[in-house]
Amino acid sequence: MKTPPGLQALIDDGVIDEVMRPLKSGKEAAVYVVRAGDDVRCAKVYKDMAQRSFQQRVQYQEGRKVRGSREARAIGKASKYGRRQQETAWKNTEVDALYQLRDAGVRVPEPYGYYHGVLVMELVTDADGHSAPRLGEVELAPEQARGFHRFLVRHVVKMLCVGLIHGDLSEYNVLVAPDGPVIIDFPQVVSAAGNNAARAMLLRDVNNITASLGRWAPELLDTWYAEEMWALFEAGALHPDSELTGEFVADDRVADVDGVRHAINNAREEALIRQQGREAAAEAD
């Protein structure tokens, strides 16, 4: 096939040898099957901001770190330079997340490098060597669905333990490989500790997967894994091997706002009295 403009630089640099065929074109990027020596891989070419239908929402960007103070100021001012830096940061987000999650043992495509704005990574295949189907494209036996659910919940926990939430997890960005599900597409990944919408996004991610697999194993629809793991995360008690039950009882107790306010006022008054006492003692000396 004709080499797409975004991949010609990789051929010129010897990173890949051939573009074999397009794999998919989505709202954020176009993915191609490429050959690098004897290996068949895929290359993800990110679309420019003007071409993307996916609008970068503030809730996804909140809590993300920018590598330099100048870049952070420029992005905040939305200057021309800042928009370029924001675009670069958006493209780097998935790359950084893939390496971090791979090191944490999360089943994601193996990244092989990031060149000229193109991510080269593992091509996930089925048992016959064809591109692996998405989770929403396969029929499952109840036991398979339960196994996939356990697997994905465990890997969401691993992600959360390194402070990341997928942010857009569903049956459309989970591939089914012979050795189990593979989670893909991370440009919208969010910071669990730095994003005010993190809990809502985690619940949505897990509930999407539960609803999908619940078609084959309906008892999954009565589980509460997202709420359970978030409660453990907030308490600092979540670990990659934490045993989850899927059960969760919400705290419905009404907060005693007046009591809390009274305690705060008492503490302030005590602090003021101590400060006045120290100042009087200092004057006496």
Side-chain angles (χ1 to χ4, degrees), residues 105-211:
V106 180
R107 182 63 174 101
V108 298
E110 179 79 40
Y112 293 117
Y114 184 57
Y115 312 91
H116 304 289
V118 177
L119 172 60
V120 180
M121 56 186 168
E122 171 191 2
L123 175 65
V124 182
T125 61
D126 61 16
D128 298 321
H130 301 130
S131 301
R134 298 180 184 184
L135 182 61
E137 298 171 338
V138 299
E139 294 189 4
L140 301 172
E143 189 54 40
Q144 284 180 300
R146 296 184 196 105
F148 282 7
H149 191 265
R150 285 193 299 271
F151 184 94
L152 288 168
V153 166
R154 177 56 51 200
H155 285 255
V156 170
V157 167
K158 289 181 179 180
M159 291 174 58
L160 191 53
C161 285
V162 295
L164 296 178
I165 295 171
H166 188 286
D168 194 29
L169 188 60
S170 74
E171 61 183 10
Y172 299 106
N173 39 39
V174 174
L175 302 179
V176 180
D179 58 346
V182 182
I183 303 173
I184 63 171
D185 292 341
F186 290 91
Q188 67 293 310
V189 68
V190 299
S191 165
N195 192 301
N196 287 326
R199 178 182 178 275
M201 291 185 186
L202 176 72
L203 266 60
R204 185 179 63 193
D205 282 357
V206 177
N207 291 340
N208 282 345
I209 293 301
T210 300

Side-chain angles (χ1 to χ4, degrees), residues 240-258:
D241 57 353
S242 293
E243 290 293 334
L244 302 181
T245 65
E247 300 176 358
F248 180 76
V249 178
D251 187 354
D252 294 328
R253 292 174 297 178
V254 178
D256 182 8
V257 177
D258 290 337

Side-chain angles (χ1 to χ4, degrees), residues 2 5 54 59 102 137 141 148 180 190 225 270:
K2 183 179 178 180
F54 180 83
Q59 65 176 6
R102 191 70 178 177
E137 298 171 338
F148 282 7
V190 299
Y225 285 101
E270 290 177 5

Side-chain angles (χ1 to χ4, degrees), residues 3-67:
T3 302
L7 294 175
Q8 185 60 53
L10 276 68
I11 293 178
D12 295 342
D13 289 352
V15 175
I16 62 175
D17 298 302
E18 177 189 3
V19 181
M20 302 173 66
R21 60 182 174 87
L23 181 59
K24 72 169 185 174
S25 181
K27 55 194 175 184
E28 299 140 358
V31 183
Y32 298 88
V33 178
V34 300
R35 180 177 60 82
D38 295 330
D39 298 320
V40 177
R41 297 173 177 170
C42 66
K44 188 168 188 176
V45 182
Y46 293 97
K47 295 180 179 179
D48 291 332
M49 190 176 292
Q51 298 176 287
R52 294 199 302 269
S53 60
F54 180 83
Q55 298 299 316
Q56 290 204 61
R57 303 168 189 166
V58 173
Q59 65 176 6
Y60 285 100
Q61 298 172 349
E62 183 184 355
R64 289 184 178 177
K65 294 180 180 179
V66 179
R67 287 173 178 161

